[in-house]
Amino acid sequence: MTSFTAPKGTFDTLPPDSATFLAVRDALTAPLRRAGYGYIETPVFEDTALFARGVGESTDVVSKEMYTFTDRGGRSLTLRPELTAGLMRAFIEHKLYAGQLPVKLYAVGSNFRYERPQAGRYRHFTQVDMEALGVDDPALDAEVVALGVAGFAELGLTNYELQLTSLGDAGCRPQYREKLQEFLAGLDLDEETRRRAGLNPLRVLDDKRPEVAAQLTEAPLMVDHLCDDCQKHYDEVREHLRDLGITWTEAPRLVRGLDYYTKTTYEFVHNGLGAQSAIGGGGRYDGLSKELGGPDVSGIGYAVGVDRTLLAMRAEGLVGEPQAKVRAFVVPLGDEARRRGLQLLTELRNENVAADFAFGGKSLKGAMKAADRSGARYAVVLGERDLADGTAQLKDLTTAEQRAVPLTDLARTVKELLS
Ligand code: HAM
């Protein structure tokens, strides 16, 4: 019979690597908890229309990459390609806007995009996402960016850059868009690019093909066409970032893959990753709540790709040898010892000592080999004679020293030796 492999563009995270995955996830979320962000969990699938409206019909994410299906009740549902739209839906549905603002939320979870898989780009990936909803204050933008930076600092990552720009708002962007479209109309572009220029001209600025890029050097930029409000907002955000000692690169051509962004927009780009270099990205999205049928309130946030962050850490040599899973290993010799040994195992764990057991009725030799492989510091060897004496042999696997310890003291003794 044929066996199965994980679907294309997906992968399994196995022990011991999975321990690093969890550590990265926890490090990225620790600064959020310290800043008063509350954990939110939303469904992995949502109404398809939520993403079409929220993320934007003209984006690749919506037009080419969604995992959309009809359920048995005839509803069109989509596996979430990102977390912001679902969090905003929950914010509106549960009227969180009626309480204290900003509402600060964070989520960790799976996302799905039907992308062309390559290193760092998967069809199933994990994001740490955070959103601060309901307040339009440049200081909040600075807090959000600073929390992203704090997450990377927690991991010791340094070889990355914060790329920052402002995308204006509903007041100034339409005029800029027209200017850009006029400019693009005068260029020698292929049919597909012309179509894109009609739909979303800002995206053309991101075209990396040399023949297109060469024509774009003189293109008008949003940052030169901000209205007074947006300019002031952007200036203040940068002032706060300076105060916080955060450095960035101005990225006036930064194009995000999602349509909801306004004003402050940014990406964290790692220098050791090749093509898929964005380890995180986000920005303000002041029209999203209204677009999704909620009140006209603003929002800002970011998402960090956990899988890419792990790759970045590997690139910086920050992923060490995996830690041993257990510190003590119980080796019973004989049936009686097996029964008492299983109790000892529980006693060790109750003392908070990570411990394992020679399951599978191994010989002494096989069991000691398993103890060595487990990475444990101590083996607790329990033979018939020890049992009759009410003791066990405690063996230090690093020095091979061995001594008898009363069973009643064993768990505590191991705990003390390990502390
Ligand atoms: P995004 O830039 O699409 O933004 O994704 C954020 C991060 O998720 C990326 O920088 C990358 O690290 C990771 N990522 C995205 N796609 C993939 C993929 N196919 N494989 C592996 N990692 C990937 C958002 O999703 C927005 N919702 C962020 C946001 C929150 N904006 C405001 N609030």
Side-chain angles (χ1 to χ4, degrees):
M1 239 193 321
T2 51
S3 58
F4 296 98
T5 54
K8 184 171 177 190
T10 71
F11 57 89
D12 304 306
T13 306
L14 307 175
D17 291 348
S18 50
T20 314
F21 176 89
L22 290 180
V24 169
R25 193 192 64 179
D26 292 348
L28 290 172
T29 51
L32 303 177
R33 285 187 290 276
R34 289 199 291 269
Y37 286 71
Y39 182 71
I40 177 171
E41 184 115 0
T42 60
V44 168
F45 55 81
E46 298 269 2
D47 279 340
T48 300
L50 174 73
F51 300 117
R53 248 166 58 204
V55 173
E57 305 262 17
S58 81
T59 60
D60 281 355
V61 170
V62 168
S63 65
K64 298 183 189 157
E65 296 171 2
M66 293 209 298
Y67 280 90
T68 298
F69 61 98
T70 307
D71 75 2
R72 287 165 196 270
R75 302 168 194 90
S76 178
L77 299 172
T78 293
L79 298 184
R80 62 187 180 200
E82 58 108 54
L83 289 152
T84 310
L87 263 58
M88 187 54 107
R89 196 254 321 127
F91 170 80
I92 297 167
E93 180 175 342
H94 303 288
K95 300 192 172 54
L96 301 185
Y97 50 80
Q100 172 85 5
L101 298 177
V103 173
K104 294 175 156 189
L105 302 171
Y106 79 95
V108 183
S110 293
N111 295 280
F112 308 86
R113 297 183 192 177
Y114 191 79
E115 298 205 70
R116 205 162 38 76
Q118 64 182 90
R121 187 163 70 190
Y122 313 109
R123 292 182 174 173
H124 167 242
F125 58 96
T126 303
Q127 284 182 343
V128 164
D129 182 279
M130 65 87 86
E131 316 287 350
L133 304 167
V135 169
D136 182 7
D137 177 351
L140 187 60
D141 299 37
E143 149 157 308
V144 167
V145 171
L147 287 170
V149 170
F152 295 130
E154 196 101 356
L155 293 168
L157 272 181
T158 50
N159 190 16
Y160 74 93
E161 188 178 274
L162 165 62
Q163 300 190 345
L164 185 72
T165 195
S166 171
L167 289 180
D169 65 7
C172 52
R173 193 153 68 212
Q175 278 140 288
Y176 163 69
R177 202 183 125 107
E178 246 171 64
K179 250 195 193 94
L180 180 61
Q181 269 169 335
E182 261 167 46
F183 172 85
L184 295 175
L187 303 184
D188 177 21
L189 300 172
D190 59 86
E191 208 37 54
E192 168 66 18
T193 313
R194 278 201 183 290
R195 204 184 57 80
R196 194 152 4 118
L199 218 58
N200 191 339
L202 267 78
R203 204 144 279 143
V204 179
L205 289 181
D206 196 31
D207 203 316
K208 307 272 190 314
R209 291 172 298 175
E211 68 277 17
V212 180
Q215 299 184 67
L216 293 171
T217 48
E218 301 293 312
L221 297 173
M222 183 71 241
V223 280
D224 299 324
H225 295 84
L226 295 175
C227 59
D228 290 348
D229 252 14
C230 287
Q231 186 67 53
K232 183 161 171 287
H233 186 98
Y234 193 39
D235 289 342
E236 284 181 31
V237 171
R238 290 182 290 187
E239 212 168 275
H240 288 305
L241 290 178
R242 243 174 253 122
D243 291 345
L244 294 174
I246 291 173
T247 52
W248 69 91
T249 308
E250 292 287 337
R253 288 161 185 270
L254 179 70
V255 175
R256 302 274 298 131
L258 316 159
D259 268 355
Y260 44 62
Y261 291 108
T262 55
K263 295 185 181 165
T264 316
T265 305
Y266 49 93
E267 268 183 5
F268 298 99
V269 177
H270 196 270
N271 299 317
L273 288 187
Q276 302 305 314
S277 56
I279 48 177
R284 192 161 266 294
Y285 42 84
D286 290 346
L288 184 60
S289 171
K290 194 149 173 251
E291 183 65 37
L292 296 178
D296 188 6
V297 297
S298 58
I300 179 165
Y302 64 75
V304 171
V306 178
D307 317 278
R308 268 189 215 170
T309 302
L310 252 165
L311 293 178
M313 289 182 62
R314 288 229 164 80
E316 290 198 35
L318 294 169
V319 179
E321 282 295 304
Q323 297 274 320
K325 293 196 299 288
V326 296
R327 315 294 307 278
F329 199 93
V330 179
V331 174
L333 304 172
D335 288 343
E336 192 71 13
R338 250 181 126 58
R339 293 180 59 191
R340 185 63 184 98
L342 207 57
Q343 289 174 328
L344 262 184
L345 182 68
T346 308
E347 287 164 27
L348 283 161
R349 291 173 182 168
N350 287 346
E351 288 289 345
N352 231 354
V353 175
D356 207 349
F357 187 81
F359 289 107
K362 294 183 173 66
S363 64
L364 176 61
K365 197 166 155 221
M368 289 313 285
K369 203 184 252 176
D372 271 331
R373 281 217 191 105
S374 75
R377 171 78 190 267
Y378 293 102
V380 178
V381 183
L382 198 56
E384 301 285 337
R385 197 166 343 125
D386 299 310
L387 209 54
D389 294 347
T391 61
Q393 298 297 320
L394 184 61
K395 181 169 181 184
D396 184 331
L397 292 169
T398 55
T399 61
E401 272 169 49
Q402 188 167 316
R403 63 176 162 127
V405 176
L407 287 174
T408 44
D409 290 347
L410 194 115
R412 213 162 2 98
T413 306
V414 174
K415 185 194 168 89
E416 275 162 21
L417 286 169
L418 284 169
S419 63

